Amino acid sequence: VGFSSYWSAFGYGSFSVSDIKEENIYNTGFAFSQNVVRLVDFTYLNREKRTNWGYGFYNHHIPLSYIHWDIQKGDPDQIVLNYTFGKETGAGIFGQYPLSKFARLEAGLSVESRDFEVWFEEEFIPDYQDLFTDVDRQFFNFFKKSGGFNANLRGSYVRDTVLYSNIIQGPIHGNAFRVNLELAPPLGQKKAKGYASLSWDYRRYKRISDGSLLAFRFAGLQSSRAMGDY
């Protein structure tokens, strides 16, 4: 936690608490910078039995330009993106059941509210047409239509044989596969949007030496969300 003349008040941190057997684990993390950035996450995991289960919640408020900031280029060259906040709040419960040493089933139920706050209204764009391209207008419409509320049910099959290395601080050998189905029924309200999404992700790591490897990744997504699965 600190204070500066440029960032004003800011802070970040995380901590974890568990019993001696690590069967009950509590994780939380936070970050803030004045009223511009606010990130709060909390998760509880119960591993007392073969079926692991837990719950959690989160609240995120962050400028999208922070997420897409580049160390060489700085802020994105996109006026709408640079003036848009992403806001997300959600909570859920989840469970994991191991099928074998390397494979497991996952399931979860969650509710989520998501909104994108653009710092200017649509009426502002025609008055400054020299500043806004057609792509800028598409970005504006994208963010305005992507907000909403939903309750979703998801299920996944996961197989993971990846080994990790302390030398390279990451995966060194093995493969991981995940297929995920997510369903959100319409709740009868304009912003309570229903959708279905199917995604898969495959990663392959091939060790060459203690400090080098080849990595391959293939992924796919099909979603019925009007603006895609942002």
Side-chain angles (χ1 to χ4, degrees), residues 40-51:
V40 179
D41 291 270
F42 171 82
T43 304
Y44 165 73
L45 177 62
N46 184 296
R47 304 195 301 185
E48 295 177 341
K49 299 181 179 180
R50 182 178 177 88
T51 300

Side-chain angles (χ1 to χ4, degrees), residues 40-179:
V40 179
D41 291 270
F42 171 82
T43 304
Y44 165 73
L45 177 62
N46 184 296
R47 304 195 301 185
E48 295 177 341
K49 299 181 179 180
R50 182 178 177 88
T51 300
N52 300 334
W53 65 274
Y55 57 84
F57 65 83
Y58 61 89
N59 179 265
H60 300 162
H61 182 273
I62 187 170
L64 298 188
S65 59
Y66 279 34
I67 302 174
H68 299 280
W69 187 83
D70 185 90
I71 192 170
Q72 294 180 330
K73 299 179 181 179
D75 290 334
D77 186 18
Q78 219 305 313
I79 186 172
V80 178
L81 188 67
N82 290 333
Y83 285 88
T84 301
F85 276 96
K87 300 189 294 183
E88 294 180 329
T89 301
I93 57 175
F94 59 88
Q96 302 174 349
Y97 182 80
L99 299 174
S100 66
K101 184 177 181 179
F102 302 109
R104 66 182 183 272
L105 296 176
E106 297 180 355
L109 175 66
S110 63
V111 292
E112 177 189 57
S113 175
R114 177 178 57 187
D115 192 22
F116 296 97
E117 179 184 351
V118 185
W119 285 7
F120 49 83
E121 298 297 329
E122 188 173 6
E123 292 77 12
F124 179 85
I125 297 178
D127 296 334
Y128 297 88
Q129 295 188 22
D130 55 326
L131 297 177
F132 296 92
T133 66
D134 183 62
V135 174
D136 296 330
R137 295 183 179 88
Q138 292 181 40
F139 264 84
F140 184 89
N141 293 331
F142 173 85
F143 291 129
K144 286 297 183 180
K145 294 180 180 179
S146 291
F149 171 84
N150 58 62
N152 63 67
L153 177 66
R154 63 186 182 279
S156 304
Y157 170 78
V158 182
R159 179 173 173 80
D160 192 338
T161 63
V162 176
L163 300 176
Y164 289 82
S165 167
N166 291 327
I167 297 177
I168 64 172
Q169 296 294 305
I172 187 67
H173 189 77
N175 59 77
F177 174 74
R178 170 185 289 270
V179 59

Side-chain angles (χ1 to χ4, degrees), residues 112 150-152 182-186 193-197 223-226 229:
E112 177 189 57
N150 58 62
N152 63 67
E182 187 172 328
L183 301 173
K193 302 174 182 179
Y195 66 90
S197 295
S223 177
S224 64
R225 280 187 175 181
D229 212 339

Side-chain angles (χ1 to χ4, degrees), residues 193-209:
K193 302 174 182 179
Y195 66 90
S197 295
L198 177 66
S199 61
W200 61 271
D201 193 322
Y202 176 78
R203 291 175 287 124
R204 172 68 175 172
Y205 304 98
K206 179 65 176 178
R207 177 183 177 275
I208 299 176
S209 67

